[in-house]
Amino acid sequence: MTTSRKVVFAALAAVLACGAAVAQTGLGFGLEDISILQDAQSKRASSCDPDWQNGNADARPIPPGETLVLAELEGPGSINHIWNTIASPERGYSRLLVLRMYWDGEEKPSVECPIGDFFGIGHGIDRSFVSLPIKVSSEGRGRNCYWPMPFAKSAKITVTNEGKQPANAFYYYIDWQKLPQLPPNTAYFHAMYRQDFPTVPGQNYLLADIEGRGHYVGTVLSVRQHTASWWGEGDDFFFIDGEAEPSLRGTGTEDYFCDGWGFRQQDGPFYGAPLVEGMRAGDHSTVYRWHITDPVRFTKSLRVDIEHKGVTFNSDNSVKSGFEERTDDFSSVAYWYQAEPHKPWPDMPVGYARMYFDYGSVVEAESLIPKATASEGAVQPQAIPGASGGSHLFWTPGAEGQTLNVPFDVVETSSCSLMILFTTSFDYGIYQVSLDDQPLGEPMDLYSSGISSIERFFPPQPLTAGAHTLTFKNLGKNPASKGYYFGVDGILITKQ
């Protein structure tokens, strides 16, 4: 059998396995029962223009501090598909918008997560990936969820804007089935967000702490590194029904997430690492693991935690240990089904407490254009989707070896960290960043298949009051890139 045919058969087997798991609930169609007629009514709640025959106002705005009710449904029923896409000018909007779901009139939601994290990507960053229960497309802006979500009496779904700017357009579908009754032993869908900024010395990172009967079905973990090198040596532990010694014990973070020897960017039906920027200080990673074929069953309780261990360094930057606690920023979403009402959860951090920076303090790069100088090519503002302020600084050199100088001022002498918001695209080059003629880190390949953005964090260093210059030198281009272009959205200088 050829390699391509093996890949196709493997993918089909994965889909059939997922379909069988869903079909066993009686709440959705697997491929093996798609031909069976069922006593159900197909329903949808959406942002469709109320004047559906003539209008095209198919989105809803969400002003800062306000809540949009997406759906209020009467059961019995089951939600089978949720889709949304969002137009917001605020950087990090997907972590600032909070998704909540309430089953059967409960006061506290069974789902409470930033919308980006719920759909598999943390940090307020947009990225595409493909898995069985969640798929994200359109450079991270088209979000789909296929987890079955049953309810006996009612379902209510809301989104709250905890940011500082309006979400100008929120488009959504919620597809569901009205059922005559739910199958026996139906469990309800839950998803809970947590974070430790940074992780706590002497304590494992807590992924889930559940009481009741149910099964655990997935984990999304997002990490922002405080120091360089490998962060993911920690083991996972599942403590079932109050046991002192965990029944499920892991061998390393990448092992729990079904990879090996570190992470590299990839996705798949049951596990993936859709965001892996590298292993430098300030780099972001998001990884996921769906327990669809191997749900973790519990009858009374479940506690899931993971160590935050990896490479540490001495004061002279020599390696201290390959397996020691690190204090990186961890955040996560735990997914599970349970029959009983869930116990009260800790309050989720609000708004910008879930962010690493206050992006309101970012200096817009386009404001620096009047003083910028380039050895070749135009330097101008360009409007692009997702840019803070709606546009970025866009430079168009035509060959390797060109440089762009961007002066900026520092108000007072101090130790400062520097964060630069870069744009990536299909015709961008490879660049070395320098500050006052001193190189900062390794060259950066700014090529991507579509327009996107990345943050690059540079560790604290002394900056004197007065004028400084950032230099961006083109060192060539990715073989897949169609040009040497360059874009930067903003600069953030933070005193340490």
Side-chain angles (χ1 to χ4, degrees), residues 50 66 80 112 118 131 141 182 208 228 244-245 247 252 322 356 388 405 444 473 479 487:
E66 295 196 12
N80 308 108
E112 186 175 40
F118 178 83
S131 75
R141 299 169 299 177
L182 296 183
E245 182 176 331
S247 293
Y356 312 119
S388 60
N405 293 313
M444 298 175 51
K473 183 175 182 178

Side-chain angles (χ1 to χ4, degrees), residues 32-310:
E32 76 289 339
D33 73 346
I34 195 69
S35 63
I36 305 300
L37 297 177
Q38 297 197 10
D39 187 11
Q41 300 175 17
S42 298
K43 301 280 189 177
R44 173 180 292 165
S46 78
S47 56
C48 174
D49 190 326
D51 184 9
W52 57 273
Q53 291 180 306
N54 301 299
N56 194 39
D58 292 330
R60 303 288 179 268
I62 313 178
E66 295 196 12
T67 296
L68 173 66
V69 177
L70 306 187
E72 291 184 287
L73 314 177
E74 293 186 6
S78 179
I79 296 168
N80 308 108
H81 171 230
I82 298 174
W83 164 86
N84 68 81
T85 191
I86 306 163
S88 174
E90 187 161 17
R91 180 168 288 274
Y93 73 92
S94 65
R95 182 159 272 185
L96 297 169
L97 295 172
V98 179
L99 178 68
R100 294 184 173 92
M101 302 184 189
Y102 305 79
W103 312 128
D104 295 353
E106 61 186 351
E107 292 185 7
K108 298 292 186 179
S110 290
V111 172
E112 186 175 40
C113 303
I115 200 163
D117 295 78
F118 178 83
F119 285 90
I121 298 288
H123 312 289
I125 294 174
D126 291 347
R127 286 292 186 277
S128 297
F129 75 97
V130 179
S131 75
L132 281 179
I134 292 178
K135 176 178 178 177
V136 183
S137 56
S138 184
E139 303 300 330
R141 299 169 299 177
R143 299 177 173 89
N144 292 269
C145 171
Y146 298 94
W147 290 113
M149 302 178 187
F151 52 95
K153 299 177 182 178
S154 65
K156 180 178 179 180
I157 302 179
T158 68
V159 173
T160 300
N161 184 357
E162 295 183 354
K164 299 177 181 179
Q165 300 183 49
N168 293 324
F170 192 101
Y171 298 82
Y172 66 90
Y173 284 21
I174 298 172
D175 294 311
W176 64 289
Q177 301 284 314
K178 177 80 170 179
L179 303 169
Q181 62 185 13
L182 296 183
N185 298 323
T186 295
Y188 284 51
F189 180 78
H190 292 70
M192 182 182 70
Y193 172 86
R194 291 198 74 262
Q195 69 178 45
D196 282 341
F197 291 175
T199 49
V200 180
Q203 298 180 18
N204 289 346
Y205 178 76
L206 180 65
L207 291 166
D209 186 11
I210 305 165
E211 291 182 2
R213 180 188 178 194
H215 44 272
Y216 190 86
V217 295
T219 305
V220 169
L221 177 65
S222 298
V223 177
R224 184 180 78 109
Q225 297 185 215
H226 280 210
T227 55
S229 196
W230 174 233
W231 57 266
E233 202 59 36
D235 300 336
D236 61 288
F237 303 111
F238 287 73
F239 298 84
I240 300 174
D241 295 340
E243 58 192 6
E245 182 176 331
S247 293
L248 281 67
R249 302 187 293 272
T251 60
T253 305
E254 80 270 46
D255 305 341
Y256 168 64
F257 288 97
C258 303
D259 211 332
W261 308 105
F263 290 117
R264 66 283 305 146
Q265 194 159 302
Q266 47 90 19
D267 57 12
F270 303 118
Y271 71 93
L275 176 64
V276 181
E277 291 182 344
M279 289 193 290
R280 298 158 294 198
D283 278 353
H284 306 84
S285 297
T286 292
V287 293
Y288 66 87
R289 162 79 149 94
W290 309 132
H291 294 265
I292 292 176
T293 62
D294 57 343
V296 180
R297 312 285 183 179
F298 54 93
T299 58
K300 297 178 182 178
S301 65
L302 178 68
R303 179 184 174 91
V304 187
D305 58 41
I306 192 166
E307 297 170 322
H308 45 96
K309 293 183 177 180

